[in-house]
Amino acid sequence: MSVIKPSLAKGTRDFSPVEMVKRNFIYDTIKSVFRKYGYAEIQTPSMENLSTLTGKYGDEGDKLIFKILNSGDYLSKIDEQLLATRNSQLATSKLSEKALRYDLTVPFARYVVMHQNDITLPFKRFQVQPVWRADKPQKGRYREFYQCDVDVVGSKSLLNEAEFILIYDEALSKLGLKDFNIKINNRKILSGIAEIIGKPDLIIDMTVAIDKLDKIGLDGVSKELLERGFTETDLEKLRPVILLEGNNEEKLASLKTVLAESETGLKGIAEIEQVFEYVERLISYTLPLTAKLELDITLARGLNYYTGCIFEVKTNEVAMGSIGGGGRYDDLTGMFGLKDLTGVGVSFGADRIYDVLEELNLFPASAEVGTKVLISNFDNEAERFALPILQQFRTAGIAAELYPTSAKLKKQMSYADAKRIPYVVLIGGDEIASGELTLKDMQSGEQKKMTALAIMDLLK
């Protein structure tokens, strides 16, 4: 029998205990902010019916959905003529009925429709689970990654959008970020732009191209727009809008002039203004935003289902793609038979946030600690003496270990160092006789005699 060399699928990773402590620090921080704003947690399955997911992310998104082959002899159920065409797209529905979820928003919409009689509207939920995309792996981009989503359905109020700005600002600030942008736009503004150049039917083509401005530059966007059916005259009208400058108020004033003939565009501008007003009122008695809140007309968020405000968050401290994004979707649940239920939500890119915090060394020392104290084990007598103390520590909520077998001090200290355990309790003959234990601070090297109770008070 040949030995198989262990390997990982491209775009996936293992997580060590130290990494998991740090990841949970991120999740716990973000979840605490979600709960503060009235959101409750749900979970949905890793796989969904393929029909649930397809057609929801645009043509480019659909290509990135991981399909799951049907179990059993799946080829026997496919017509030979279909196989002969070698058309994988036509054959997919026969080969695969299920897929790994691409995001958490579409499964959430499916959840709302299936549980509509059990939930109270507006329904506010958050979800922290992995998603999968058949993308090309690169720095900050994985094929399996976690999303932290927060959504509310059943409310048209733009107060929700304003609160998402505050949620982003508070959560990322608590994680230690100091220089990041929360970008906002509105799909109605983009629709208005498409209207005034006489190409309303090409709104998706326009937004997909504009959304790539940061990656391919104005020339690249112009070339792609020409390939998608726009003319040079259209581009002359588009360029000043794409390159809009000034502060938020100046940008809005310019847009009002440009979109004066578009009712849809003006409605989008009014929505942005309302969100800005809500934010100002919400923070009027607190500290100003850490983030820079920026109207970015090139922000398109290529997904088809957004209909109103759209968001994207980028850090300026590390070269990284967006670390969050989302927007409003007026009738996402309509795809599943529940019409006219508006929703809005945003997502935190937990994996990218992890990479940012790691690069900036922003994880607190507490996020690197698993076991708080190790109790030494030199012989059977010391072990018997230590066992009740071990459970006393744990009962007091202190993460504690007893070295599992008797061993030399050097070996036990090396174990504590390797696991980054900050304290070691040494129990020898003198400690057993006196009842006072020796507590060693692994960082400073300082040792002092203390009772078990005093050690518990210190470590708590």
Side-chain angles (χ1 to χ4, degrees):
M1 180 178 175
S2 60
V3 176
I4 299 173
K5 183 180 179 181
S7 63
L8 282 171
K10 286 184 178 179
T12 66
R13 297 157 296 161
D14 290 323
F15 299 115
S16 69
V18 171
E19 289 171 317
M20 283 309 303
V21 171
K22 292 178 178 179
R23 290 173 70 82
N24 285 327
F25 166 72
I26 293 173
Y27 301 145
D28 293 344
T29 300
I30 295 173
K31 285 180 178 183
S32 70
V33 178
F34 289 165
R35 292 190 181 100
K36 185 193 288 191
Y37 284 79
Y39 291 82
E41 186 170 15
I42 69 165
Q43 289 197 347
T44 59
S46 298
M47 69 177 75
E48 295 276 351
N49 289 324
L50 181 57
S51 58
T52 297
L53 303 178
T54 52
K56 313 302 191 300
Y57 309 107
D59 291 340
E60 293 189 19
D62 281 354
K63 293 174 185 175
L64 302 181
I65 295 173
F66 271 113
K67 285 83 173 177
I68 300 172
L69 283 175
N70 294 337
S71 57
D73 187 6
Y74 48 83
L75 280 179
S76 66
K77 300 176 184 178
I78 299 183
D79 183 86
E80 288 188 13
Q81 290 183 332
L82 179 58
L83 279 175
T85 66
R86 302 178 67 85
N87 188 319
S88 58
Q89 288 187 328
L90 290 175
T92 295
S93 61
K94 302 292 184 181
L95 289 169
S96 173
E97 296 172 358
K98 296 178 178 64
L100 295 176
R101 59 171 173 249
Y102 177 92
D103 72 351
L104 299 178
T105 306
V106 171
F108 171 55
R110 190 264 311 148
Y111 175 96
V112 169
V113 174
M114 291 186 67
H115 296 270
Q116 58 186 287
N117 296 323
D118 308 318
I119 61 177
T120 301
L121 296 177
F123 181 53
K124 304 173 77 172
R125 84 81 169 89
F126 70 86
Q127 203 169 338
V128 179
Q129 288 186 275
V131 299
W132 293 266
R133 297 183 186 179
D135 217 339
K136 183 179 179 181
Q138 54 187 282
K139 182 183 179 182
R141 178 170 291 180
Y142 308 100
R143 287 176 171 171
E144 178 187 65
F145 57 97
Y146 274 71
Q147 283 187 340
C148 301
D149 275 20
V150 56
D151 290 76
V152 53
V153 293
S155 171
K156 295 181 179 179
S157 174
L158 292 166
L159 176 60
N160 298 305
E161 277 86 337
E163 288 192 339
F164 283 140
I165 291 170
L166 269 61
I167 285 172
Y168 268 137
D169 190 71
E170 182 173 344
L172 295 175
S173 297
K174 281 188 170 183
L175 290 170
L177 297 187
K178 296 180 175 62
D179 183 8
F180 56 96
N181 287 19
I182 301 174
K183 298 185 177 185
I184 185 172
N185 196 12
N186 195 295
R187 287 297 285 258
K188 294 183 178 72
I189 293 176
L190 293 169
S191 296
I193 294 169
E195 282 179 15
I196 62 165
I197 63 174
K199 295 288 195 304
D201 54 323
L202 294 180
I203 173 65
I204 299 300
D205 295 272
M206 186 187 81
T207 55
V208 167
I210 289 176
D211 205 35
K212 298 176 182 177
L213 184 67
D214 285 349
K215 297 177 183 177
I216 62 177
L218 184 60
D219 290 342
V221 170
S222 299
K223 181 182 177 184
E224 186 163 327
L225 287 169
L226 289 171
E227 291 171 353
R228 290 175 177 268
F230 290 83
T231 67
E232 192 59 50
T233 302
D234 297 333
L235 297 189
E236 288 177 12
K237 296 178 182 177
L238 269 176
R239 285 189 189 105
V241 179
I242 295 174
L243 300 176
L244 201 62
E245 294 182 345
N247 60 32
N248 292 334
E249 291 74 20
E250 290 166 342
K251 289 178 181 178
L252 287 168
S254 297
L255 285 172
K256 285 179 182 177
T257 301
V258 173
L259 299 176
E261 302 301 317
S262 171
E263 183 180 345
T264 302
L266 292 176
K267 187 175 181 182
I269 293 170
E271 289 181 3
I272 292 285
E273 289 179 324
Q274 179 66 72
V275 171
F276 286 165
E277 183 180 340
Y278 274 133
V279 170
E280 287 300 316
R281 286 181 176 273
L282 285 166
I283 66 172
S284 58
Y285 292 105
T286 59
L287 294 173
L289 294 176
T290 300
K292 178 184 177 184
L293 180 57
E294 175 191 358
L295 172 60
D296 184 353
I297 203 65
T298 68
L299 174 61
R301 300 295 300 174
L303 302 183
N304 288 349
Y305 53 65
Y306 291 130
T307 55
C309 288
I310 45 181
F311 302 95
E312 189 166 271
V313 183
K314 289 192 174 183
T315 175
N316 301 312
E317 297 175 82
V318 172
M320 181 70 70
S322 65
I323 57 174
R328 179 164 293 268
Y329 40 89
D330 274 345
D331 194 26
L332 187 63
T333 55
M335 301 173 184
F336 304 115
L338 185 59
K339 296 288 185 183
D340 303 322
L341 188 64
T342 187
V344 59
V346 297
S347 175
F348 287 74
D351 293 272
R352 289 187 175 185
I353 291 171
Y354 181 101
D355 290 345
V356 170
L357 299 190
E358 190 76 4
E359 188 166 335
L360 296 174
N361 196 28
L362 288 176
F363 284 106
S366 60
E368 299 186 17
V369 174
T371 300
K372 191 76 174 283
V373 60
L374 173 71
I375 301 177
S376 68
N377 187 348
F378 295 119
D379 52 38
N380 288 338
E381 184 183 6
E383 181 179 274
R384 286 195 299 271
F385 185 84
L387 287 172
I389 297 171
L390 174 67
Q391 284 308 101
Q392 277 184 281
F393 286 163
R394 290 170 174 168
T395 302
I398 299 166
E401 290 183 51
L402 172 67
Y403 196 79
T405 56
S406 60
K408 292 182 179 179
L409 178 61
K410 183 179 179 181
K411 186 174 183 180
Q412 298 186 55
M413 293 298 101
S414 296
Y415 177 80
D417 277 332
K419 290 195 69 175
R420 302 183 186 180
I421 300 173
Y423 296 96
V424 175
V425 170
L426 302 172
I427 299 177
D430 290 345
E431 284 79 12
I432 294 172
S434 68
E436 282 201 319
L437 314 178
T438 299
L439 180 69
K440 180 180 178 69
D441 185 321
M442 294 297 289
Q443 187 170 6
S444 67
E446 180 187 0
Q447 294 186 187
K448 54 186 173 183
K449 296 278 190 178
M450 300 178 71
T451 64
L453 187 60
I455 291 173
M456 282 189 286
D457 287 339
L458 174 67
L459 298 187
K460 282 194 291 187

